[in-house]
Amino acid sequence: MAAEIVNPRSDSDNSTGSASDEPFDPAFALHRGGKMAVQATVPIRDRDDLSLAYTPGVAKVCSAIAERPELVHDYTWKSQVVAVVTDGTAVLGLGDIGPEASLPVMEGKAILFKQFGGVDAVPIALATTDTDEIVDTVVRLAPSFGGVNLEDISAPRCFEIERKLQERLDIPVFHDDQHGTAVVTLAALRNAAKLTGRGLGDLRAVISGAGAAGVAIAKFLLEAGLGDVAVADRKGIVSRDREDLTPVKRELAELTNRAGLTGSLESALAGADVFIGVSGGTVPEPAIASMAPNAFVFAMANPNPEVHPDVAHKYASVVATGRSDYPNQINNVLAFPGIFAGALQVRASRITEGMKIAAANALADVVGDQLAADYVIPSPFDERVAPAVTAAVAAAARAEGVARR
C-alpha cells in the first residue's frame, strides 16, 4: 500500500467550516478531509486476486516471514515507509498546541516525503508528552516501519527521546528539526564559503537559539570542520562560566565557543563571519553591521526572520532565510526525503554523521557552476536534489558499515 497525495475535498467546497458568510480561505479549503489517503498497489478484481492478496495466499507469506523475519522487508511495505511522530509540543512557530492540532503539519510532512523522496510516510500524533511513554510507544510501533522521523517535539526532551530510540531500535531514527536543518545549513554555508574563496575552517559563526536546531547545527558544523561557533540563548552566550545551564547546554559549552566569548549575542557578532538565526528573536542592525567583511547572514525564523533581508544585504555578501519568497531558502525538504530514501534503499540500521555530511555535500554540489550570492542552495523543486542526496546517503551507509543490503 502507498500513501497517495490527493485532495479529497469537493471542488465546490469553499468553506472554512464556519458560517456560510465567512470569506473563502484556500488553506481551509485545501485541508478539508485531510491531505492524504491510502491506495492499494495491487488490484482486487476477482476471487483469484482476493485469494492472493488476502486469505489463503497471505498466510504463505506470513509463515515465511515468521521463519525468516528479514523477509518482512521484501514482502511488506516496511522497507519503504516512515513513521512521522510528534507529541505536538513544538509545532512550527505555534508552540505546544497538542497532538490533534499538530496533525495538519504531520500530514504535510508525510506528503513531502512522498512528493520529494518517493517515500511513504504515516503521521502519528501521540497523546502524551512523557519522554519514556513516547519512547516505549514508538518502540512498540516500530515493527511496522522502516524508519522514524521525529517532528515538532520540544527541547530538551527531543534530545533524550531521539537518543533512547536510537539505542533501542535497529532502524533509522531522525529528528528532522535538529538534523534536517543542520544538513541544509551546512550545504548553504559550504557554498557561501566557496563563493567567497574561503573554507569552513576560516569561519567563526554565531548562532541565535539554543533549542533543538541551534544545538544540532552547532555540533554538526564543528563536525564538518567549522573554525568556531558560539551559541546564544535568551541569557547570552552559552559559555563554561555560566551556572544556569541545562545538561544539554553544559555539553554544548564544552564543545563550542573556543574563543571563550561571554556576554550578549550582539557582542559576539562583532567580527563574526556567520550569523545563523533559529530563535525567532530580533537582531538589531548595528550588530549585523559589526560583522566581518563578506559576512553571511542566515536568518531562518519564520515568518519573520531575525534580520530582515533588506537590512542583511547592506552588510552581508550572502543572505539566506527560511522563507520561500526570498532567494536561498533553508528548507528541510531539501534533506529529509533523500536522507530517508537513501537509508531505506540500503536498509540502514541508523543514520550516521557521515551519512548526514554526505547529504550536505551532495546538496551543495547540485548548485554546481551556477553558484552565486543569490543561489547557494538549490530550490526544493529542483528534480536533481532528491536523487543526489539519496545516492550519497546510500553510498555513505555502505562505507560506514550500517547498510544491510
Side-chain angles (χ1 to χ4, degrees):
M1 304 177 76
E4 178 189 17
I5 303 174
V6 298
N7 184 359
R9 65 179 173 85
S10 165
D11 289 340
S12 62
D13 178 12
N14 292 339
S15 72
T16 65
S18 54
S20 59
D21 60 350
E22 289 290 321
F24 170 75
D25 188 322
F28 280 90
L30 182 139
H31 282 79
R32 180 171 289 280
K35 300 190 291 288
M36 298 176 61
V38 174
Q39 69 175 19
T41 61
V42 297
I44 308 292
R45 298 163 299 197
D46 52 34
R47 183 178 298 178
D48 290 340
D49 288 344
L50 182 60
S51 67
L52 287 173
Y54 203 55
T55 184
V58 72
K60 298 178 183 178
V61 180
C62 293
S63 297
I65 294 172
E67 292 179 9
R68 294 177 54 198
E70 71 273 12
L71 292 179
V72 69
H73 296 282
D74 296 311
Y75 295 108
T76 73
W77 77 339
K78 177 181 173 72
S79 65
Q80 55 193 345
V81 65
V82 170
V84 180
V85 178
T86 189
D87 62 359
T89 54
V91 181
L92 300 177
L94 304 174
D96 185 355
I97 59 174
E100 289 86 1
S102 75
L103 268 177
V105 177
M106 300 310 116
E107 287 183 4
K109 197 77 171 189
I111 65 174
L112 294 178
F113 265 109
K114 186 66 174 180
Q115 181 72 33
F116 292 100
V119 174
D120 292 305
V122 177
I124 298 175
L126 301 179
T128 178
T129 60
D130 181 85
T131 294
D132 289 332
E133 287 184 0
I134 292 172
V135 171
D136 289 342
T137 301
V138 174
V139 168
R140 292 185 176 100
L141 290 169
S144 297
F145 299 98
V148 175
N149 184 92
L150 300 174
E151 190 76 18
D152 291 350
I153 298 173
S154 63
R157 295 176 310 115
C158 59
F159 303 113
E160 184 178 2
I161 289 169
E162 182 186 48
R163 178 181 58 78
K164 287 184 174 181
L165 285 173
Q166 288 172 338
E167 290 171 352
R168 293 179 61 178
L169 297 177
D170 65 348
I171 57 175
V173 178
F174 186 85
H175 184 207
D176 186 51
D177 300 321
Q178 292 184 60
H179 311 299
T181 308
V183 165
V184 183
T185 301
L186 174 59
L189 188 57
R190 189 180 293 282
N191 274 342
K194 180 180 178 182
L195 183 68
T196 56
R198 291 176 285 179
L200 290 178
D202 301 320
L203 304 176
R204 178 172 73 84
V206 178
I207 297 175
S208 175
V215 170
I217 291 170
K219 291 181 177 180
F220 192 54
L221 293 183
L222 289 174
E223 180 77 19
L226 189 75
D228 194 10
V229 58
V231 182
D233 61 11
R234 291 183 179 88
K235 297 181 179 179
I237 298 299
V238 175
S239 57
R240 296 181 183 181
D241 64 325
R242 282 179 49 181
E243 298 179 354
D244 60 343
L245 300 179
T246 64
V248 169
K249 292 181 183 179
R250 193 173 301 116
E251 178 191 9
L252 189 65
E254 294 296 324
L255 297 172
T256 63
N257 194 18
R258 294 164 183 164
L261 300 175
T262 59
S264 67
L265 168 74
E266 290 81 3
S267 65
L269 282 172
D273 303 291
V274 186
F275 168 74
I276 297 171
V278 284
S279 66
T282 300
V283 178
E285 182 173 344
I288 299 299
S290 74
M291 295 178 68
N294 289 319
F296 312 141
V297 172
F298 291 5
M300 298 188 287
N302 260 319
N304 299 311
E306 292 88 350
V307 184
H308 192 280
D310 292 344
V311 173
H313 276 296
K314 294 180 184 179
Y315 312 102
S317 60
V318 176
V319 177
T321 72
R323 291 176 52 144
S324 60
D325 53 348
Y326 290 102
N328 295 328
Q329 184 190 18
I330 308 297
N331 191 329
N332 288 13
V333 76
L334 289 162
F336 69 81
I339 289 174
F340 268 99
L344 294 175
Q345 185 180 96
V346 298
R347 296 178 189 168
S349 58
R350 58 194 176 94
I351 295 173
T352 65
E353 291 298 299
M355 291 162 72
K356 291 185 287 185
I357 288 176
N361 291 342
L363 184 55
D365 288 344
V366 169
V367 172
D369 294 338
Q370 297 174 284
L371 181 62
D374 62 353
Y375 186 57
V376 297
I377 198 76
S379 163
F381 296 99
D382 189 324
E383 295 181 355
R384 300 171 295 172
V385 167
V389 174
T390 299
V393 168
R398 292 190 177 100
E400 299 206 341
V402 297
R404 289 178 285 197
R405 76 165 183 180

